[in-house]
Amino acid sequence: MKMTPKEYQKYVKAKSAKSPIWKNTAFAFVIGGIICMIGQLIQNGWSGLGLGKEDAGTATSCTLVFLSALLTGLNVYHRIARYGGAGTLVPITGFANAVVSPAIDFRSEGFVTGMAAKMFQVAGPVIVFGTCASVIYGAVLMLL
C-alpha cells in the first residue's frame, strides 16, 4: 500500500482516538490547584507552629517531597496522575515522583545496581545531589 505523506497523515488522523482536551485541561487545572492548595495549607501549618516565612517554605517543600514519595511508594500518586495529568507535574511533587518511581520499579535488581542506578539515571545526578546537599546543609545549619 503506497501512500503519500499527506495521505498517511489523513489516515492516521482518521484512525486516532480524539483527545478530550477540554476535560483533560480541566482535570489538570483542578488537580494541580488542589496540590498547590495542600502545599499552602502545609505552609500555613508550619507557620502556625512558629516557623518564619522562609523556614516554613523550606519545611513545606520537604513535606511535599516526602508526601509525594510516600504516595508514589503506596501506588497512589500514579492513580492521581491518571486523572490529573499535567496537573501532577507541579514541580516539587512531580520531581519526587520522578525519583521514587524508577527506584521502586528496579528494586528487585538490588540497592546499588537497581534502585540507586535507575534513580540517578532518570532524575539526573545534578538534581538528586543538589537536593541531598541542600537537606544536609539545612540539617547542619539547624544544628549550628
Side-chain angles (χ1 to χ4, degrees):
M1 175 178 201
K2 290 203 171 225
M3 292 182 160
T4 66
K6 281 188 176 184
E7 290 173 331
Y8 178 73
Q9 288 298 327
K10 187 176 178 182
Y11 173 76
V12 169
K13 193 172 184 176
K15 295 294 181 183
S16 297
K18 304 296 181 219
S19 175
I21 192 162
W22 294 107
K23 182 184 100 172
N24 291 348
T25 303
F27 275 131
F29 180 79
V30 169
I31 298 296
I34 289 170
I35 291 171
C36 292
M37 183 183 68
I38 291 169
Q40 186 63 53
L41 290 171
I42 291 170
Q43 184 171 6
N44 292 348
W46 284 117
S47 293
L49 291 174
L51 292 180
K53 185 175 183 174
E54 190 174 319
D55 290 337
T58 302
T60 300
S61 296
C62 293
T63 304
L64 285 172
V65 167
F66 171 76
L67 290 174
S68 178
L70 179 66
L71 291 175
T72 299
L74 295 174
N75 208 20
V76 172
Y77 198 88
H78 95 280
R79 292 181 186 154
I80 297 168
R82 186 180 310 149
Y83 296 102
T88 58
L89 296 178
V90 174
I92 201 153
T93 57
F95 160 74
N97 178 263
V99 172
V100 174
S101 289
I104 290 171
D105 291 342
F106 292 95
R107 71 179 178 262
S108 64
E109 294 181 21
F111 182 74
V112 174
T113 58
M115 287 175 41
K118 298 302 180 183
M119 176 176 66
F120 288 126
Q121 181 181 8
V122 173
V126 175
I127 295 173
V128 175
F129 282 130
T131 302
C132 292
S134 68
V135 169
I136 293 168
Y137 177 76
V140 169
L141 189 62
M142 291 296 286
L143 292 173
L144 296 177

